[in-house]
Amino acid sequence: MNQRRYGLFFKISRALTRIILPRFRFKTLYITDEPTVYISHHQNMMGPVSILVWIKYYFRTWVLSVFTSQEECYDHYTNYTFTKRYKWPLPIAKIVAWPLSYIIPWMMKSARAIPVYRTSRKIMHTFQMSVEALLNDEDLLIFPDIDYSNDSSKTSNIYEGFLHLEKYYYRKTKKHLTFVPVYSNQKKREIYTGQPIQFTGNKSFIKERKEIAQKIREELNRLSKI
């Protein structure tokens, strides 16, 4: 695992959040000398927050691209998060969204997050940055839930597109990429990592991609019952 560090703003923010957020303990943590992609369940923000606040290691986390741009972040908060999800009046949503639209992109930059451009050709930029990070021995942390607002402990449908990392990484290294499920248990305040999962290369990529996605879901759901 790469020993590079987060930026100062992220480290200060994390230290302050630890004062507020209940402590989460890592009961298991699978660490390897090879670059690894950790896959977790979003749980309506509690997954990313609990893991990134309490993890002692360094990850490059995938985040929606809207949270890396001030203008897009402001639009997302005012026209979706606060108004449609939380049903806030638009004037209040704008007041809260304005400072957050500066703070959140700054936080993402300090956390060295990798922007994810969904439904856009710029998604190739996401994969390019991710593969470069892996080749630099940096681990990735991805939350592929389709419904990221779902706070259920069960992992249901997930995007499978992130598994294309296997193709690009294999082309560069001739090695299969390791995917490790990691689950944050909100009731026990414990975090677990599951069994590492890899492609075999014995089947077509499309067929094996579905099998790997299913294995990841099953392992996350197994971890949720510990």
Side-chain angles (χ1 to χ4, degrees):
M1 179 173 283
N2 191 286
Q3 295 302 309
R4 297 184 67 179
R5 295 291 181 261
Y6 296 113
L8 180 61
F9 182 58
F10 178 79
K11 289 191 287 187
I12 292 174
S13 300
R14 183 169 63 177
L16 293 174
T17 306
R18 285 179 175 178
I19 299 174
I20 303 171
L21 188 72
R23 182 179 180 84
F24 280 71
R25 298 182 182 276
F26 280 79
K27 301 298 289 185
T28 59
L29 185 58
Y30 180 86
I31 300 296
T32 174
D33 292 333
E34 296 291 329
T36 303
V37 180
Y38 293 86
I39 308 298
S40 190
H41 180 26
H42 200 284
Q43 299 181 81
N44 198 18
M45 278 302 298
M46 283 308 299
V49 171
S50 58
I51 293 173
L52 287 171
V53 167
W54 293 107
I55 189 70
K56 296 180 180 179
Y57 297 95
Y58 169 78
F59 296 97
R60 299 289 300 277
T61 306
W62 274 24
V63 300
L64 286 176
S65 60
V66 297
F67 298 118
T68 64
S69 163
Q70 186 273 323
E71 291 183 359
E72 292 182 31
C73 188
Y74 178 78
D75 180 72
H76 185 78
Y77 279 138
T78 55
N79 295 314
Y80 175 70
T81 302
F82 295 145
T83 51
K84 291 186 178 179
R85 281 191 62 191
Y86 298 142
K87 308 302 181 182
W88 291 6
L90 183 59
I92 295 177
K94 287 183 176 182
I95 292 173
V96 177
W98 186 80
L100 283 180
S101 70
Y102 287 93
I103 294 171
I104 297 302
W106 186 14
M107 176 82 72
M108 296 301 102
K109 182 178 180 180
S110 185
R112 303 195 69 235
I114 296 176
V116 179
Y117 301 92
R118 288 181 180 166
T119 66
S120 168
R121 291 183 179 180
K122 291 179 70 176
I123 190 64
M124 294 308 301
H125 183 59
T126 302
F127 286 112
Q128 181 181 358
M129 289 184 65
S130 299
V131 172
E132 288 175 356
L134 291 168
L135 295 176
N136 193 38
D137 199 27
E138 296 175 298
D139 295 330
L140 304 182
L141 176 61
I142 298 176
F143 299 86
D145 304 70
I146 291 178
D147 181 10
Y148 64 84
S149 64
N150 179 13
D151 57 8
S152 169
S153 62
K154 183 179 179 181
T155 303
S156 53
N157 295 329
I158 63 174
Y159 291 106
E160 298 178 4
F162 71 92
L163 291 171
H164 280 81
L165 286 168
E166 158 73 12
K167 289 176 65 175
Y168 302 124
Y169 183 76
Y170 188 81
R171 287 176 187 173
K172 293 284 187 179
T173 66
K174 301 305 177 185
K175 295 180 181 179
H176 292 293
L177 192 55
T178 300
F179 296 89
V180 176
V182 53
Y183 183 83
S184 177
N185 188 309
Q186 307 304 311
K187 292 182 178 179
K188 295 183 178 180
R189 297 177 185 172
E190 295 176 342
I191 299 173
Y192 315 93
T193 50
Q195 295 298 315
I197 298 170
Q198 286 187 326
F199 282 74
T200 65
N202 296 329
K203 302 176 182 178
S204 69
F205 173 77
I206 297 299
K207 184 175 183 180
E208 193 164 14
R209 183 186 69 182
K210 293 186 177 298
E211 294 177 359
I212 294 296
Q214 179 62 26
K215 288 180 180 179
I216 289 173
R217 282 194 298 267
E218 290 174 353
E219 185 66 359
L220 285 171
N221 287 326
R222 182 188 71 82
L223 292 172
S224 71
K225 298 176 183 177
I226 293 177

